[in-house]
Amino acid sequence: MITLNSNYWGRLAVDESEGFAEYVTVTLNNEKRTVWLNIFEDVLPNTPIEKIVPLLDSLPACTEIIRNVLAQKKGTNAFVDEFIEFHLDELDAETLQSLDITPPTHEACAKQLTLRGVHLWLAAPAPGRLKMTVDYGISKDISDQLLVFNFDEQGELLDITWES
């Protein structure tokens, strides 16, 4: 068992051979959120703690980058546009209203996307480079679709994808 002492996430006890996967409560923009934190089992045996903790602690800066991407006008990013359009087309008016996506516009939907998960993993080839994936979406009770933001070891945004 290895203990990661993160300024942002607090103290995390991670089984070196099994990794870490559980819900953790964090505060972003003065709002408490319970998010899925997953540190894959191959991360700790192959990555120094000195790389892991700073990447974990970069989450507030990464979420600011994400918020800036989401605040961009429609037509700026195809993945974001398609993700939002999917939800505006698929969800009924009552559900959109319950999510506070009113009026049902690109901007209103983008503002309601929230952090759902954070994953640390190694990109191939082994030992690989440490990556952090940050999942955003609407309530998991309503949709399993995720807008996925991938960051490198320095907290730089690499790409955006759409997953379910």
Side-chain angles (χ1 to χ4, degrees), residues 8-9 27-29 55-65:
Y8 185 72
W9 295 89
T27 303
L28 283 170
N29 302 321
L55 188 54
L56 284 170
D57 283 342
S58 74
L59 183 64
C62 292
T63 58
E64 185 63 28
I65 291 168

Side-chain angles (χ1 to χ4, degrees), residues 130-147:
L130 189 61
K131 306 281 182 168
M132 181 168 70
T133 299
V134 181
D135 300 335
Y136 267 68
I138 61 173
S139 171
K140 66 181 177 184
D141 298 333
I142 295 172
S143 177
D144 67 348
Q145 304 297 309
L146 297 171
L147 196 54

